[in-house]
């Protein structure tokens, strides 16, 4: 009998994943990951991984008749997820910690522990599907229910991980999952879904950054594309690309955050049209259906979880880098988020966005407000200014649209 370790968050999805695998004849072991010290996290948000969630997971395991363990992943979570969250915000980006958690904890760490316990593989309650191609390569596919598909946050899965992971909910809708849970008497059948970042359940990212680092991020100027001062901001990490609310700037037209500049501690504001980008670069790339992109790949890409996939052309520009050019400009391409590639229902892989070119202007001639470029530590900046090694650098030039 194949033995499977299932990650149990305490929610209905992972509990039903156990139920389905057990009914299918697998020898199941439930595991909950302790990711942070609860006393350091504020409560009140729709989060996961709390002490209450651990108890819910244990209760579901007992009800389903499977053993349940709690693994301590706090040190790894802080190193790989929380610190990346903080450093990305401080560098001017907007991170997606759920992707880093999946990369380092929910698949890599859990698969390692599963093997230590003699398990043949792992499973989670994610809505996605895994399929093996005729040549033996493993593929990641969207869930049957497009409203619940989570392939975007799973693009980093390797061939080794895909070969040993199961997603029992891939063919189900959320309503079907809740109905199964209620039918089998699971107490979390109607438990609400987690929506906030688990270690920032109140949604106050800036407050968390200040508490965690002890830093008092200096205020600076809001400026327009020409450098004119429009007002004062309260610290770069308090803002993200595309933000409109909470700026505190008086204007006769709606203004949005277009760029954050750590070098001079300014935030560039502009109209909605200034948020659109046609090209982006992504690094830390993981490809699923192939080892390398030869030539130009025609596909579609999502630039955030809730973003619709847009038609594009992709060229691999380095071992760990791709350039994505969209057929139509996309709004608010944000460094730190992930660009994930799709061919219909197949997730091809993706990478972390490091730049997006922002344009304004008409009649074919636009001013490139700049592209915010996340650079590797020690890499020389390409802005032409001698000695510039800023993590993020703004470059201004005239371009043809």
């Amino acid at each position: 009998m194949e033995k499977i370790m299932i990650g149990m968050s305490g929610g209905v999805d992972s509990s039903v994943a156990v139920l389905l695998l057990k009914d299918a004849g697998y020898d199941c072991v439930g595991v909950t990951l302790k990711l942070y010290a609860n006393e350091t996290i504020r409560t009140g948000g729709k989060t996961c991984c709390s002490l209450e969630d651990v108890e819910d997971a244990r209760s579901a395991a007992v009800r389903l008749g499977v053993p349940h363990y709690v693994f301590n992943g706090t040190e790894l979570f802080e190193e790989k997820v929380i610190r990346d969250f903080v450093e990305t915000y401080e560098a001017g980006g907007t991170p997606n910690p759920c992707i880093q958690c999946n990369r380092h904890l929910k698949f890599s760490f859990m698969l390692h522990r599963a093997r230590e316990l003699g398990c043949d593989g792992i499973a989670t309650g994610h809505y996605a599907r895994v399929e093996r191609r005729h040549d033996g390569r493993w593929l990641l596919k969207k869930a049957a229910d497009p409203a619940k598909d989570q392939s975007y946050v799973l693009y980093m899965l390797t061939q080794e991980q895909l070969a040993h992971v199961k997603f029992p909910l891939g063919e189900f809708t959320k309503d079907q999952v809740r109905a199964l849970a209620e039918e089998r008497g699971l107490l979390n059948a109607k438990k609400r879904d987690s929506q906030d970042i688990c270690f920032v359940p109140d949604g106050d990212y800036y407050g968390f950054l200040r508490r965690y680092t002890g830093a008092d991020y200096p205020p600076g100027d809001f400026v327009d594309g020409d450098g004119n001062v429009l007002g004062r901001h309260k610290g770069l990490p308090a803002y993200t690309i595309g933000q409109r609310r909470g700026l505190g700037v008086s204007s006769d037209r709606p203004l949005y955050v277009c760029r954050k500049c750590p070098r001079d501690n300014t935030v560039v504001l502009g109209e909605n049209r200034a948020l659109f980008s046609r090209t982006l670069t992504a690094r830390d790339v993981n490809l699923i259906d192939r080892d390398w992109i030869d030539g130009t790949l025609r596909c579609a890409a999502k630039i955030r979880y809730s973003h619709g996939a847009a038609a594009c052309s992709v060229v691999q520009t380095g071992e760990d880098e791709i350039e994505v050019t969209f057929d139509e400009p996309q709004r608010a391409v944000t460094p730190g988020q992930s660009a994930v590639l799709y061919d219909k229902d197949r997730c091809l892989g993706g990478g972390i966005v490091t730049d997006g070119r922002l344009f304004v202007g008409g009649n074919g001639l636009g001013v490139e407000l700049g592209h915010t470029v996340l650079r590797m530590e020690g890499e020389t900046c390409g802005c032409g200014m001698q000695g510039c090694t800023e993590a993020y650098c703004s470059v201004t030039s005239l371009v043809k649209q």
Side-chain angles (χ1 to χ4, degrees):
M1 182 184 297
E2 192 173 354
K3 188 175 182 179
I4 301 294
M5 175 184 288
I6 304 101
M8 299 184 70
S9 66
V12 64
D13 293 331
S14 56
S15 298
V16 171
V18 175
L19 184 159
L20 292 170
L21 288 172
K22 193 168 186 293
D23 286 353
Y26 290 96
D27 180 10
C28 297
V29 177
V31 165
T32 302
L33 301 180
K34 178 178 172 58
L35 301 179
Y36 52 78
N38 284 275
E39 60 271 14
T40 67
I41 306 297
R42 292 182 177 178
T43 58
K46 292 171 283 186
T47 182
C48 65
C49 314
S50 67
L51 288 175
E52 179 184 350
D53 294 318
V54 174
E55 290 305 315
D56 287 345
R58 183 177 289 114
S59 172
V62 170
R63 180 77 178 179
L64 294 167
V66 302
H68 177 263
Y69 303 95
V70 177
F71 291 159
N72 186 355
T74 54
E75 290 187 9
L76 186 62
F77 186 78
E78 180 167 14
E79 176 190 351
K80 299 295 186 180
V81 181
I82 295 181
R83 290 180 186 171
D84 175 80
F85 179 85
V86 171
E87 290 168 3
T88 301
Y89 260 117
E90 290 184 336
T94 301
N96 189 325
C98 295
I99 289 176
Q100 296 302 327
C101 185
N102 285 338
R103 183 194 303 268
H104 298 291
L105 275 298
K106 293 182 180 176
F107 292 92
S108 180
F109 174 70
M110 201 165 83
L111 183 57
H112 173 73
R113 295 304 303 269
R115 286 169 169 160
E116 289 182 338
L117 291 181
C119 295
D120 300 293
I122 62 175
T124 71
H126 287 97
Y127 288 81
R129 294 178 292 172
V130 175
E131 193 175 275
R132 197 171 194 183
R133 200 164 59 189
H134 62 85
D135 61 359
R137 195 170 187 100
W138 293 92
L139 305 176
L140 176 65
K141 302 184 72 174
K142 293 180 179 179
D145 181 2
K148 293 300 296 180
D149 173 57
Q150 292 175 297
S151 59
Y152 177 87
V153 296
L154 300 172
Y155 78 86
M156 83 304 299
L157 292 178
T158 65
Q159 285 295 300
E160 175 67 12
Q161 290 165 346
L162 287 168
H164 294 90
V165 69
K166 297 183 184 299
F167 297 124
L169 306 188
E171 301 290 345
F172 289 81
T173 67
K174 186 71 177 196
D175 288 343
Q176 290 172 326
V177 167
R178 290 198 183 279
L180 276 171
E182 195 162 9
E183 179 184 314
R184 298 292 282 269
L186 295 179
L187 298 179
N188 56 9
K190 296 182 178 180
K191 184 176 180 178
R192 64 185 180 182
D193 293 338
S194 59
Q195 296 180 6
D196 296 309
I197 295 174
C198 65
F199 55 92
V200 196
D202 61 2
D204 183 7
Y205 305 154
Y206 187 54
F208 171 80
L209 291 170
R210 294 181 68 181
R211 292 193 304 273
Y212 181 81
T213 65
D216 190 12
Y217 297 105
D221 289 332
F222 282 123
V223 299
D224 63 17
D226 295 321
N228 299 310
V229 176
L230 303 176
R232 296 285 287 174
H233 69 70
K234 60 184 179 182
L236 287 184
Y239 307 93
T240 190
I241 304 300
Q243 180 177 335
R244 176 186 173 187
R245 297 180 183 275
L247 301 181
V249 174
S250 178
S251 174
D252 59 358
R253 63 194 188 282
L255 294 177
Y256 302 83
V257 174
C258 294
R259 191 170 78 251
K260 301 193 292 182
C261 308
R263 188 200 309 190
D264 56 8
N265 193 32
T266 59
V267 175
V268 179
L269 304 182
E271 296 182 56
N272 184 61
R273 59 179 178 162
L275 285 170
F276 287 82
S277 310
R278 187 181 294 276
T279 302
L280 66 82
T281 300
R283 284 185 175 163
D284 200 12
V285 170
N286 179 62
L287 297 176
I288 295 175
D289 76 326
R290 68 197 73 199
D291 293 325
W292 183 270
I293 297 174
D294 290 316
T296 300
L297 171 66
R298 286 293 298 171
C299 60
K302 294 179 66 170
I303 57 172
R304 62 182 60 85
Y305 185 83
S306 59
H307 182 260
C312 64
S313 298
V314 182
V315 175
Q316 188 154 5
T317 53
E319 185 69 29
D320 201 31
E321 181 179 277
I322 57 174
E323 183 172 274
V324 180
T325 302
F326 292 98
D327 292 2
E328 299 293 334
Q330 301 299 302
R331 186 180 185 277
V333 174
T334 305
Q337 293 289 294
S338 290
V340 180
L341 312 179
Y342 289 90
D343 180 5
K344 297 178 181 177
D345 68 343
R346 288 188 295 122
C347 178
L348 309 181
I352 298 175
V353 176
T354 59
D355 86 7
R357 295 174 177 83
L358 309 177
F359 298 94
V360 296
N363 301 319
L365 186 64
V367 177
E368 185 176 355
L369 288 180
H371 54 279
T372 357
V373 182
L374 175 59
R375 303 190 176 279
M376 304 299 287
E377 183 177 359
E379 182 179 354
T380 301
C381 182
C383 67
M385 296 182 64
Q386 187 174 5
C388 179
T389 57
E390 292 292 324
Y392 280 78
C393 177
S394 304
V395 184
T396 302
S397 60
L398 288 178
V399 296
K400 288 291 289 182
Q401 287 184 286

